[in-house]
Amino acid sequence: MKEFTDQDIEKIENLIEEHNEEAIIRELADLHPADIAELFQSLNLRQAEWVFNLIENNKDQQAEVLMELDEEDRKKLLEGMNPEQISHFIDLLDTDDAVDLIQELDEEDREEVIQNIEDMEQAGDIVDLLQYDKDTAGGLMGTEFIKVNENLSMPDCLKEMRRQAEDLDDIYYVYVVDDDDRLKGVLPLKKMITHPSVSKIKHVMETDPVSVKADMPIDEVAIDFEKYDLVAMPVIDSIGRLVGQITVDDVMDEVREQSERDYQLASGISSDIDADDSIWAQTKARLPWLLIGIIGGLVNSVILGGFEAQLAAVTALAFFIPLIGGTGGNVGVQASAIVVQGLANGRLELNEFWSQIWKGLRIALINAIVISAVVLGYTMLTQPGDYALSFAVSASLFCVVIFATVFGTLVPLTLEKLKVNPALATGPFIQITNDVVGLLIYVGMAVWMLKIFPH
């Protein structure tokens, strides 16, 4: 792994400006494609294109560098290529990477690129894989794997494996299928060594291998990978036929991208953006929730406007408004974050909807009692004799904690049921709602307490 310093980048930029091709090639010779892709991030588009074209003699390296790039950087390079050039890279990629690359192209370019693929078998596999939703196991899988028939003898099995292995870069498992291509088992390496003359491999294979259906969502696939500690997993269709294989590196890439999307959504960013995206792109992603926050603030000002007389009578009431809003927001985000995490890692199911609400309510009661008691003691000490203020603040906090916890638990569960990303519930939506509702509760409670304990 290469760590590029500012001096390294400056040196390479100078070599590029000098068009010193031999020196650049020497600098790149021992670098991993991922390191070259990282280098590209420090170069401008013109420099990156020049270096990329410089390694044209090594098409395999070019293809690997292309797939290691961030999606935005890859798009910029692809825009400078014609469909025929892109198809040459497709020929060198595994089908799962090839499909990812093709999905980033415009509809017209996709068809032309596929038509220019020389390997017709790979072109057919790519067309088949493009039919799957990209957020499912089928959209993530590749078709490069070894499969053998269960009725083969061990010697024949080894011959078949050698034949298929010639076209593969990596071999994770040997899958065993029946005459109809249905997955029957996995053949471990140890069995090949210890049973070299067995009559049929179905007698020594491991049956009932862990597999996933092609239409299974990626987040559920990731849970299975973690649960069973696998490096690869077979993908089957609705009748059990082996159609592909997913590797752990592809799953990790998807999990990382999903985590980034969820984090941005929870931060009030409405679309997937990066730090190097344009000002306009970042503004479009960030502005909507900021405007919604402004609307929430304006609603709060209207509520306070109707409460002007009470605030004038008891100015100390205004001091606790930030406390009410802040507590409601924190409690709501905590509750929703736990639910979202549980849904993401599979430890919480939708059929536990009401039990989770009931559990959240019990937790809320404990928190509400403790928080309201602490604040009641504080206001009694600092505002002695002002019972309206003390009881208004503590009772409001009690109600706000209950509401925020239930609301923070209910919203992500409801969003998940509606097939909407529940990470939305951990962001500004929860905070803004709790601010408005919390203020309404506080105003109502203060008015009520002032009637009971008039000033």
Side-chain angles (χ1 to χ4, degrees), residues 307 316-321 324 389 392-393 396 400 437-447:
F307 187 51
L317 285 170
F319 300 154
F320 294 93
I321 292 174
I324 300 295
L389 173 67
V393 175
S396 296
V400 165
V437 174
L439 190 58
L440 282 170
I441 291 172
Y442 184 45
V443 167
M445 196 66 69
V447 170

Side-chain angles (χ1 to χ4, degrees), residues 44-55:
N44 61 42
L45 179 59
R46 180 186 62 81
Q47 293 170 329
E49 285 180 334
W50 189 82
V51 175
F52 186 76
N53 292 329
L54 197 60
I55 57 177

Side-chain angles (χ1 to χ4, degrees), residues 214-234:
D215 59 355
M216 178 181 282
I218 288 175
D219 53 352
E220 294 180 27
V221 175
I223 292 171
D224 282 350
F225 264 92
E226 181 184 14
K227 180 179 180 180
Y228 297 107
D229 293 326
L230 298 172
V231 294
M233 191 181 295

Side-chain angles (χ1 to χ4, degrees), residues 81-100:
M81 302 180 195
N82 59 48
E84 189 174 350
Q85 288 175 301
I86 297 173
S87 67
H88 289 322
F89 291 120
I90 297 293
D91 281 321
L92 300 171
L93 295 172
D94 289 340
T95 48
D96 54 340
D97 289 332
V99 168
D100 290 341

